Amino acid sequence: GGRNGIVRMFSRSGDDIGAAFPDLLEGLSFEGVLDGELLVVRDGAVAPFSDLQQRLNRKSVTRAMIAKYPVHVRLYDALELNGEDQRSLSFVERRQRLVHWYEAEHPRAMDLSEQLDPHSKDDLKRIWDGTRHSGIEGLMLKRRDSPYLVGRPKGHWYKWKRAALTADCVLMYAQRGSGKRSSFYSDYTFGVWAESGILVPVGKSYSGFTDAELLELDRFVRQNTTERFGPVRSVEPKLVLEVAFDAIQRSTRHKAGLAMRFPRIARIRWDKPAAEADTLEGLERLVE
């Protein structure tokens, strides 16, 4: 947002993150509060989220970083424009005013989000089906008459995330949880088969299962422990977990060279032999 010639940028959680993005804020001058998404964009193409992560959570940023990871804001909405509160207006009115402001100001390193105009539910479903192929996280559905409300009020906006990817992984390690789960092995590291026939870890999760399933998993861990390292147990590789995740990216930090984004356990495959779990090669094909 901009006020009295000072432009600041806040994350969704309300932290002032502008210091890390001088390239974006320099030369910007407007009176208002805008809502948008921070992206790394090169030659008009949006880069993967992992590129943006290189710029996030930094106190200061070098010229080399700015050149290598150029940032951009895609504008979605306006809470205030030219010092005038827009929040009680309908989405259609806010959007018209945002477009008008944008065309008058031509702000550098910003663009307007694309608006979809589906003709039917089937048409909308077809667009949603193509989200992964287009490299986007999903669709945002907003009622035309919706005001801009704080928090997550129901009934006005709906975030329709693209369908998750899944992989069958083998449980490798388990760690005790925290809080009320501290007496259970509830944090799981799982892997897939590399060409050499060894398991390589590809992710960690402690969500997606019920309390009843946690008891079964905890019992399995205790009965199939091969080694202990403090709070962690190494488990005999024979339990398959179907893991759902939003995306998979290349990563130099992980032994497998891949990292899952938001993994959670979708199903415990008590029935499936570990030898039939997925391979690293298979996961490589899912990298966007």
Side-chain angles (χ1 to χ4, degrees):
R3 281 221 176 89
N4 310 324
I6 298 166
V7 179
R8 305 177 88 167
M9 189 157 133
F10 296 92
S11 68
R12 196 175 359 194
S13 53
D15 299 318
D16 187 341
I17 56 171
F21 301 99
D23 44 331
L24 200 62
L25 301 188
E26 271 166 18
L28 259 187
S29 176
F30 66 97
E31 290 280 315
V33 181
L34 306 175
D35 167 0
E37 182 167 13
L38 193 56
L39 304 165
V40 168
V41 173
R42 289 189 199 86
D43 306 321
V46 176
F49 179 73
S50 49
D51 279 22
L52 180 63
Q53 281 177 315
Q54 303 299 316
R55 293 285 310 263
L56 295 174
N57 307 323
R58 288 178 180 271
K59 294 278 184 283
S60 63
V61 62
T62 63
R63 281 191 183 285
M65 286 294 287
I66 288 172
K68 193 173 178 191
Y69 302 104
V71 286
H72 182 96
V73 171
R74 180 148 293 163
L75 298 171
Y76 295 140
D77 215 326
L79 288 76
E80 186 185 291
L81 280 175
N82 302 322
E84 196 185 323
D85 193 339
Q86 313 282 310
R87 290 173 297 177
S88 61
L89 300 176
S90 71
F91 172 69
V92 172
E93 285 179 88
R94 290 198 310 278
R95 180 74 187 201
Q96 280 170 345
R97 292 183 182 206
L98 177 61
V99 170
H100 186 72
W101 174 86
Y102 181 81
E103 287 170 352
E105 294 283 334
H106 293 294
R108 198 175 51 75
M110 288 188 179
D111 65 9
L112 293 170
S113 62
E114 183 189 350
Q115 284 208 282
L116 302 169
D117 188 18
H119 308 298
S120 64
K121 278 186 178 175
D122 289 344
D123 193 20
L124 183 63
K125 174 74 164 66
R126 196 167 59 249
I127 295 168
W128 180 79
D129 285 337
T131 49
R132 183 170 294 282
H133 183 69
S134 314
I136 56 176
E137 282 186 38
L139 303 177
M140 195 73 193
L141 310 181
K142 297 185 179 185
R143 289 180 63 111
R144 292 178 190 275
D145 60 359
S146 61
Y148 194 108
L149 300 171
V150 176
R152 295 188 174 183
K154 299 259 187 289
H156 291 284
W157 295 2
Y158 178 68
K159 187 177 186 176
W160 194 11
K161 293 186 78 164
R162 65 189 181 188
L165 295 169
T166 60
D168 284 336
C169 303
V170 181
L171 177 62
M172 296 176 70
Y173 305 103
Q175 186 168 349
R176 282 178 187 265
S178 52
K180 62 176 194 225
R181 285 182 166 185
S182 58
S183 54
F184 297 106
Y185 286 91
S186 63
D187 299 15
Y188 307 113
T189 300
F190 37 81
V192 292
W193 299 107
E195 276 181 4
S196 52
I198 59 160
L199 279 173
V200 281
V202 288
K204 270 182 153 175
S205 184
Y206 44 84
S207 68
F209 42 86
T210 64
D211 287 348
E213 286 174 324
L214 171 59
L215 295 178
E216 292 184 343
L217 287 164
D218 179 72
R219 188 180 308 129
F220 175 85
V221 169
R222 291 172 192 274
Q223 289 174 354
N224 294 277
T225 298
T226 53
E227 283 180 88
R228 301 179 188 205
F229 325 87
V232 181
R233 291 188 178 209
S234 181
V235 180
E236 199 177 324
K238 59 184 190 184
L239 179 60
V240 176
L241 302 173
E242 184 184 311
V243 178
F245 51 96
D246 288 354
I248 192 154
Q249 298 153 346
R250 301 215 176 279
S251 164
T252 48
R253 285 214 312 264
H254 297 77
K255 191 170 158 189
L258 298 175
M260 287 178 173
R261 185 154 144 77
F262 302 133
R264 58 254 178 215
I265 290 161
R267 229 170 12 139
I268 306 163
R269 299 293 310 268
W270 298 106
D271 57 314
K272 187 163 189 166
E276 290 176 20
D278 283 318
T279 62
L280 194 53
E281 195 184 351
L283 282 186
E284 292 263 352
R285 289 198 283 272
L286 300 178
V287 173
E288 284 172 26

